[in-house]
Each structure stands twice: as structure tokens, then as C-alpha cells.
Amino acid sequence: MDSDSTHDPRGTHATPVPRPTPPTDLPTVPQGGPQTSYGDPAVPPKPTRAPDMPAADPQPSYAPPPRSPVADWVDEPRPTVEPGIWRYGYRRPKAAGEGQRLAPVTIVGFLVPLVVGLLLWSLWRHGSLPYQWAAVKLFTPDDWWWAGTTSPKGYQGAEAITVADGVFFAILVFAMARLGSWSDIVRHVVTRRAQPARALVAALGAVIALAFVFPSAFGLGWDALPVQDPLFSLIVLVTGDYAVFASELFTDGLYALITLLVLWPFARIGGWWPLAKEAIAARGRAKAVQVAEPAVDRRPSHWPELREAGQHQAADTLTAELYAGRMNDVDCARVGHMWTVARARARLSSFTETVLREGAAAWTHPSGDRDLSGRSARHDLLARQVRIGQWAAGDRTPPAYGGAGAALGPDTLGTSLLAVGPSGSGKTGRLIRPVVESLGLQALAGQCAVVTVCAAGTPLGPDSAYDVVVRLGDPASEYDLDPYADSADPDEAAAFLAEGLAGDLDTVSGQRAATALAQLLGPYRAAYGRFPTLPQLRELLEGEPSALTALRAALAGEEHTVMRRELDARARQSGGAGDPGPVLADRLAVLDRPAFADFFGADQGGARPFSLRAVAHHPLRVRVDLPDRGHDEASRLITRLLLAQFGAVAMTGERSHFLCLVLDDATGAVTAESVRRIQRLRSRNAGVVLALRTVGDVPEALHGPLYAAVGCRMAFSGVTTWDGSRFAEAWGTQWVEARDVARHTVFADQPMTRAIHALRKLVTGKAVTTEAVTVRQVERERWSASELAHGVPAGHAVLSLTTVQGEHAPPLLVDLRG
């Protein structure tokens, strides 16, 4: 069988796949990327030194050109976020309570204890509190006071009063802080702020506090708070002499101690110590980096990774191309991907030579395209995301998701996606087309290969957006479809061919069907060096004597003894009660029709067979158009065959690009074997997207395994309660807080109380009741079947995501029009 460049290494085939003529001008990057057009790239000036010569000066040798929209797009921050959030320009929302006003009850809770505290302090200072002097005299000797009075005899009594003032003031401040909402005020004003604003606000509060403790030091005329005087008085009472204050060092030490005690709570509130440690560590790291290597501009538009690796020539060339507007988002993603590959394979010098020689056009896709002719969605190729809508804000939506863009990428599609919704719900226009478009752009960047299977006429982009377009049943189709996926192993070919032909039948065992096919494919390939065409295979399955006789004659040599034994075993099983041959022949008859006479390896006409195995080796964009009318059974059989082939192809070989199969209509395509293969795709850097009108298009026995095999599930508006129940089971339950309020009528025993209640009922018209609130944790469904069927607005869907790293996003409502 003649193969083309989709089978062989790129550029080695005599008749490669014809590619569309590249446009003279690259189109504009719409919406998600920079809004500018790109002309034909001019050749950048080449440095005079050798490409592999290390750079002498790490700084660019050219004057910085004016910034371009592409450079601004590249430099836009893309923070690490939760799965499914559009990263381009994402700003994390404020924490709960941040930016909100204080509740009136919080302000009252601060002011009332403050007023009460000031009143008590005033009463204390005037000696008007009950038993105030009794408490003071209780802890002091009687000879410090005149008998029957509160007047001190000597300095001890006066100093004791000062110490008592300080003790009462400390107890009063502690009580106000504990009883009032001072902690909420401090949290709102200080601790919720980010550094260094938090530390500065705390420092301002510390200065104000010191001004009240040491007013004379600040040149203020008010009285000092009872802090330093009580401490000095306590020292006098303990030592019994004022001579201790003659030492200036001792006095200054006391003032320093008081200052530290005042600053300590503000240091904790303001986070001074962690801020200081971080500043010291950052300064140490900066010195280490400065000693190790010169500073590198960290803006992504200056390609800092290349400069850190010593590839300054390549970085200068790419920066000039980027700032001159000769690079688009596809070019940036493609060059970045090739840099990753070159660094992994230790081919840095080859990378630099290619960049210096070709500039922005380096490693252009074999089609010659550097962009798609038109885009319908917002794409961010640096983050490998496509925006499909906006996460709707609500009670069940986490703060990080509320109002943020909803996006998909290989990190989530690698776990496979199941989308269910009726016709007209937006599966094709708002999910399939953006995903296919994004994967096509990533294929141009060398990061992905995509195979799209849809009905003829489905609006999934023009033919120029694909490298291979297979129109089954259309005589004008340039490509044919290889039913054996260019396999050289009869057992492998028999396995996915049996799944495609009879995978949906309960009456035929998949193992017996694969064995029957292998007993014919192996001998035929051994005899003729190729697999039979579908009409020939149908004759062999039906047990046509002439076909079997001819095949047996071709295996007459001694080297074909094993194959003759396989053929004889098939002949013995033919016509038995459990023989799958007739059923397989009947299924092949669906494809052995005049409409498909020139397809499936018929070796007729000018079409060439396309093998799905090519996507495992090249970043291809493939679209397979199924027959549009009158061949529903054939369409389902072909879809099932392609899903089986993709599962087998994705498991073979090593590759650096992502593989994705997109089925616009997966009706009848899911089998038990394909579900098992889907579970293994995420570890092979591959995934599938399955779109269904209803879960009923999948055998009921496979509902649970299918929902368990895919990591991403999407329920569109309009699903039935039966479909919704499957999603509800897959998404499970969660613990929520339930509040039950019970109102009970109050029955009064006293006559006066009954009279008041009667008067209140007469005025309000309602009986006097009391409320009993019960709060408890209950387990409830995340989304019930009824909510999915009746509570999802038009143009919306409920989407849950899982990444290949195991991160989860709960099922949340997405506005697909946002």
C-alpha cells in the first residue's frame, strides 16, 4: 500500500501530501491575542560572529525598539490558578471580607466598650468607684496611710496609688479589647492588608501609642498614659529608695523596655519580623545572583530563558522579530516549544543556528501556515488554553472562579471530556469548534495533533484550516481512509477492526470476532504482502469457496505452514453456531456499498489512503467528514472504528506532542473496549472529546464506566432528568450547612403578660412567637437531576474538570456566551 508523507518522516517521501498555498500576509491575531497584523518578515541582521560562539555581553546590543501589541500580549501575567480558569490577565479576587465595609454591629462593639472604659477610668481617677480604696489598702501595709483615711503618710502611699492606677488601667484596656470587637477592627484596618502596607499602618499606630505614653518626648502637652510612672513607682517601692534612678544607664534601660513593650503588639499585628526576614533573604538572594551572573531582563518578551542559557544571539534576534511585529502568537508558542525540545535533547547550538537563519519563521509547520485564516474564539497559546465562556458567580461557586473566564487545554482534555446536550444547546458552536480551533493552532506550533470526526457540512472551520480532509463517500475527496491504520500486525488490525464492526453487539464476543479476523488477515498478508480490501475481506468472512481456495493456493510454500493452519481453523469454524463470520460480513456490507467503492483502500481513483497512525508522528490537523445522509449505520461504524484506531495508535511510541480525537457525534461509538482505552489515554499524553445528544446513545451497561473513565464532564442546558441523574451520580455529594427555623407560639402565664400579648396581636395581626434555629451538617448532591434538567439557563452548561496531575474543579455553572 502506497503511503504518503503522513506515514513517513517529514520531507523524505517522493510525493508528499500536497499543502495549501501559504497566504502572502499573515492574518491578524483576534480577541485573545494581540490585535495587530503581521507582514512578511524581513530578514534580521545577522551577527558577524559564529552562531555557536558564546556571547560576550549579556545585554542586548541594539537599542530597544518600540513595543508591539504582541510583546504586550507575551508579557501579560499568567498566574498559576485553579483548573479551568482563563489564565491570561487573571487577577485573583480579594479574600473574603477584604474591601468590605465594617458592619454596624462591629463599630458599635468597638465604641461601646471604649465609652464604658473611659467612664470607668474617669470614676477611678476621681476615686468614685465603690470599694476602690479598700482594694488599694488591702494589698498595702496599714502604716502607709493615716488611720481612717485614704491619705498617704509618706512617699510609699503616694507611689502605691500610682501603681494602682497603672494596674487598673492595664486591666481596663485588656477587658475592653476582649469584650469589644477590637480584633475585628484591627483585622479590617491592618492585618488584611498586604505587605508592606500592613507594616506601615501598624507602625503609624505604634507612633501614636508612643505619643500617648511619652507625650513630652513628642512635644505634646497632654497627660501621659499610666505606663511609665507606675513602673517607676513599683521600682521605688521594691528598692525603698530613689537613688536607683541616679544611674542614667538604668533609667535609659527602663525607657527602652517600656518602648519595646509598647511596640511588641504592633510588631505582631504588622508582621514586622516575617517582613524583615523576607527582606534579608531577598537581599541575600539578590547578592548571590549578582555575584553568580549578570542581571537578565525577566520580561518574557526578552526571552530570559535563552539568555540564562547563554543563547544571547538567538534571544536578541527573537526579541527584534517580536518587537518589530514579525511574530504572532503561533510563532511565539512554536519557538518556545522548540526551545524546550532543544534543551531536553541538548541541541542548543542547532537551535541558535536555526533562529539566526530563519528568524520568526523557524520551524514553520509543514503546511507553511503560521496562523489560521479565521478564529471564532479567544486563544492563549502560551498557556495552551481556549476560552469557552465565563464561570457564573453564585453561592456554590468558589471565589476564585466567580466571574473568571472558563478555559480548556491539554491539561484537562488529557483526561478526556464527555459533553451531553440536546441539539441546539451549543455543543458544536460553543465547545467543539473552539476546542478544535485551539488544537489546530497548537498543531501549527508543533505541540498537538488533532483528529476531528463530524458530519459533512458541520461548521468546524474551512478546509484550509486542516492538513488532511477525508470526505467519505465524496468522489472529489483527495484522501481515502485506511481501515487498518497502516498496521503491520494482523492481531492489532483485527482487534480494532472487530471493535469497529461488532463492538456494539452483545451477541458477538469481541475476542471471538478479533480471532476470526486475525485468522484471515494474517494469512492474506503473508500471501500478498498487504491486507485485503473490504470487499475481499467480506468474501473471506462469508466463506466464499473461490476466495478461500485462491488464498490457500497462495500459501502453498513451506514457509506458510503456520498461516495455512490459521486458515484451516477459520474454515472449520465457518458455519458453526457461534461463528462471528456472518455477522462481521453483514457489518462489512454496510461499507461495501457503491457510495464507498473508491474508499477504504480500494486502490481505485486518485485518492490516497490516510492512516490515523500518522498523527502519532506528526502534528497534523485532520478532519474526517462522515456521509451526510442515508448512511447512518455506516457513519456510526466508521466513528467506532476511528475511536478504536485512535486508542491503539495513542498507546504506541514516544512523542512530545499531545493527541486528541474530537467526535462531534459519538452516538454508537462507545464500546466496552474503548472505555478501557480511554482510561489509559491520560498517561499517554492523549485524550478524546465525546459529544452526545443523550446518554441513551450509549449502552446502559456502559453508563457508569464511561462517566468514571472521563475526567471532565459537561451537561448542557436542556438535558433530561434521566441524563441529569447520571451526572448527579458521577458528581456525588458534599457536606453543606442546613438551617432549620421553627416558630413556636408563646403562651403567657401571667395576666399582665397575656394582656400585652393580646395588645400586640391586635396591633400586628400576628401571634407572639419565638424562633428556634437548628444548624446541622447534611450531605446533599452537588447538582440534582432536577436542577440540571430545569435549573440550567439557555446558553449555559455545568462543567467539572480534572487535570492530568489530579487536580479537580467541582461542577460549576458556565455561561457559554460570556
Side-chain angles (χ1 to χ4, degrees):
M1 183 180 297
D2 186 30
S3 65
D4 49 35
S5 61
T6 59
H7 294 253
D8 304 327
R10 187 177 302 169
T12 61
H13 200 274
T15 57
V17 178
R19 307 296 182 189
T21 303
T24 57
D25 292 323
L26 292 176
T28 300
V29 179
Q31 301 181 25
Q35 302 294 325
T36 184
S37 60
Y38 308 91
D40 292 331
V43 178
K46 297 295 190 298
T48 56
R49 52 195 175 93
D52 55 350
M53 182 182 299
D57 186 2
Q59 299 298 329
S61 58
Y62 54 86
R67 290 188 64 82
S68 68
V70 192
D72 295 335
W73 172 79
V74 171
D75 290 339
E76 185 69 22
R78 294 168 174 83
T80 302
V81 294
E82 287 77 1
I85 293 180
W86 175 253
R87 293 176 55 190
Y88 177 79
Y90 176 77
R91 299 295 185 272
R92 189 170 294 276
K94 296 179 179 180
E98 186 175 353
Q100 299 179 0
R101 294 183 178 180
L102 285 172
V105 65
T106 304
I107 299 176
V108 172
F110 169 77
L111 294 178
V112 169
L114 180 62
V115 172
V116 173
L118 292 176
L119 177 62
L120 292 177
W121 178 245
S122 177
L123 294 176
W124 175 271
R125 295 288 292 175
H126 290 84
S128 301
L129 286 180
Y131 306 104
Q132 172 181 344
W133 298 110
V136 174
K137 296 176 69 175
L138 179 64
F139 293 97
T140 56
D142 293 338
D143 57 354
W144 287 6
W145 314 93
W146 295 105
T149 68
T150 58
S151 300
K153 284 184 178 182
Y155 75 92
Q156 294 94 341
E159 299 298 345
I161 293 176
T162 304
V163 173
D165 290 344
V167 173
F168 181 78
F169 178 77
I171 295 174
L172 191 61
V173 171
F174 178 77
M176 286 191 300
R178 293 290 295 177
L179 298 178
S181 56
W182 286 26
S183 60
D184 296 335
I185 297 293
V186 171
R187 188 180 302 109
H188 180 81
V189 177
V190 184
T191 58
R192 72 180 179 89
R193 300 179 184 271
Q195 297 287 17
R198 173 183 173 183
L200 293 176
V201 174
L204 178 61
V207 171
I208 295 175
L210 290 175
F212 280 96
V213 175
F214 305 111
S216 58
F218 290 84
L220 302 175
W222 58 61
D223 295 335
L225 293 177
V227 177
Q228 58 173 334
D229 290 344
L231 179 61
F232 286 11
S233 298
L234 180 62
I235 294 175
V236 170
L237 292 177
V238 173
T239 60
D241 192 1
Y242 288 99
V244 293
F245 298 110
S247 173
E248 185 176 352
L249 179 62
F250 180 74
T251 305
D252 292 343
L254 289 179
Y255 282 121
L257 177 62
I258 295 172
T259 303
L260 291 177
L261 291 176
V262 173
L263 293 179
W264 178 74
F266 292 96
R268 291 197 59 184
I269 293 173
W272 293 357
W273 179 241
L275 180 63
K277 290 196 298 184
E278 178 63 26
I280 295 173
R283 178 175 297 182
R285 289 193 299 267
K287 289 182 178 179
V289 172
Q290 187 175 5
V291 171
E293 57 183 11
V296 175
D297 193 336
R298 299 302 306 174
R299 286 180 294 177
S301 60
H302 285 257
W303 305 89
E305 294 184 356
L306 274 68
R307 300 185 189 277
E308 291 174 352
Q311 307 301 313
H312 302 288
Q313 285 184 310
D316 292 347
T317 300
L318 292 174
T319 303
E321 295 277 86
L322 183 59
Y323 276 70
R326 293 189 288 266
M327 291 186 75
N328 61 7
D329 55 347
V330 177
D331 297 330
C332 295
R334 185 181 65 252
V335 173
H337 173 67
M338 294 309 299
W339 165 250
T340 303
V341 174
R343 186 171 53 183
R345 299 178 180 177
R347 298 178 179 176
L348 303 186
S349 59
S350 175
F351 175 88
T352 300
E353 292 175 0
T354 305
V355 170
L356 295 179
R357 183 176 60 254
E358 302 182 18
W363 301 286
T364 301
H365 192 265
S367 66
D369 295 340
R370 292 167 60 185
D371 203 349
L372 295 180
S373 57
R375 303 188 186 185
S376 61
R378 299 181 60 184
H379 303 275
D380 184 12
L381 295 183
L382 292 186
R384 303 181 68 182
Q385 287 185 321
V386 57
R387 179 164 178 160
I388 61 172
Q390 183 177 9
W391 297 104
D395 295 338
R396 67 176 76 195
T397 303
Y401 286 86
L408 294 174
D411 58 333
T412 52
L413 296 179
T415 62
S416 299
L417 169 64
L418 173 65
V420 179
S423 299
S425 59
K427 296 191 303 300
T428 299
R430 292 171 179 163
L431 174 65
I432 300 299
R433 180 167 182 177
V435 168
V436 170
E437 193 172 86
S438 174
L439 296 176
L441 289 170
Q442 294 178 43
L444 294 180
Q447 300 172 329
C448 174
V450 56
V451 180
T452 306
V453 182
C454 60
T458 304
L460 294 181
D463 293 350
S464 59
Y466 298 91
D467 303 307
V468 176
V469 178
V470 181
R471 297 185 181 89
L472 296 174
D474 187 354
S477 177
E478 186 178 357
Y479 288 95
D480 187 3
L481 183 64
D482 184 1
Y484 304 106
D486 197 27
S487 176
D489 184 0
D491 293 325
E492 181 190 38
F496 55 68
L497 191 59
E499 184 178 346
L501 293 175
D504 60 331
L505 299 177
D506 297 332
T507 57
V508 178
S509 170
Q511 184 61 42
R512 291 180 62 86
T515 301
L517 287 169
Q519 289 172 343
L520 295 175
L521 296 180
Y524 196 96
R525 182 175 180 83
Y528 301 104
R530 61 177 178 86
F531 289 126
T533 62
L534 295 190
Q536 293 170 340
L537 180 60
R538 178 186 175 186
E539 291 179 352
L540 294 173
L541 288 172
E542 290 176 342
E544 181 68 27
S546 59
L548 292 174
T549 301
L551 179 57
R552 187 176 289 104
L555 297 172
E558 290 295 332
E559 67 276 10
H560 299 310
T561 303
V562 177
M563 293 303 169
R564 287 199 303 272
R565 186 166 61 247
E566 287 284 290
L567 189 60
D568 292 340
R570 173 90 282 272
R572 289 193 301 270
Q573 296 172 6
S574 180
D579 181 23
V583 178
L584 295 175
D586 291 342
R587 285 300 182 93
L588 277 177
V590 176
L591 300 180
D592 188 16
R593 304 294 300 164
F596 307 114
D598 298 334
F599 292 90
F600 305 111
D603 293 334
Q604 299 176 7
R608 290 169 295 170
F610 168 74
S611 169
L612 201 65
R613 196 174 300 274
V615 298
H617 305 289
H618 306 293
L620 292 175
R621 302 165 295 168
V622 182
R623 192 185 74 210
V624 179
D625 289 348
L626 301 174
D628 53 352
R629 68 178 71 89
H631 299 281
D632 294 340
E633 184 62 27
S635 297
R636 288 192 289 271
L637 193 151
I638 295 169
T639 303
R640 192 163 54 247
L641 176 62
L642 290 173
L643 179 58
Q645 288 184 353
F646 181 83
V649 167
M651 296 297 171
T652 60
E654 295 293 336
R655 61 185 178 279
S656 60
H657 61 276
F658 176 69
L659 296 185
C660 190
L661 173 66
V662 181
L663 301 182
D664 183 59
D665 184 5
T667 301
V670 179
T671 64
E673 185 60 31
S674 64
V675 169
R676 284 190 288 270
R677 286 191 175 127
I678 289 174
Q679 291 176 324
R680 300 193 294 266
L681 288 179
R682 68 178 66 186
S683 62
R684 302 296 301 173
N685 196 22
V688 298
V689 178
L690 307 175
L692 293 169
R693 297 183 184 88
T694 174
V695 186
D697 293 334
V698 176
E700 186 175 359
L702 298 178
H703 289 182
L706 176 61
Y707 277 88
V710 298
C712 306
R713 309 173 188 95
M714 195 170 187
F716 283 78
S717 172
V719 297
T720 63
T721 53
W722 291 273
D723 292 342
S725 63
R726 296 300 186 185
F727 281 99
E729 292 175 3
W731 285 329
T733 59
Q734 63 180 346
W735 290 98
V736 298
E737 185 179 90
R739 298 173 60 90
D740 298 330
V741 180
R743 291 180 173 83
H744 305 283
T745 303
V746 177
F747 297 97
D749 297 331
Q750 302 298 326
M752 179 59 69
T753 306
R754 286 200 298 267
I756 294 175
H757 287 184
L759 179 61
R760 179 175 174 181
K761 183 177 180 180
L762 180 64
V763 173
T764 62
K766 298 180 180 179
V768 179
T769 59
T770 59
E771 291 185 353
V773 180
T774 303
V775 180
R776 53 195 176 94
Q777 294 289 328
V778 297
E779 193 175 11
R780 291 181 180 173
E781 292 179 326
R782 296 179 181 272
W783 285 86
S784 67
S786 179
E787 285 178 316
L788 293 172
H790 308 292
V792 179
H796 290 66
V798 179
L799 173 64
S800 68
L801 299 173
T802 303
T803 66
V804 291
Q805 293 80 19
E807 301 179 29
H808 296 271
L812 303 175
L813 187 65
V814 180
D815 185 359
L816 300 175
R817 302 166 298 185

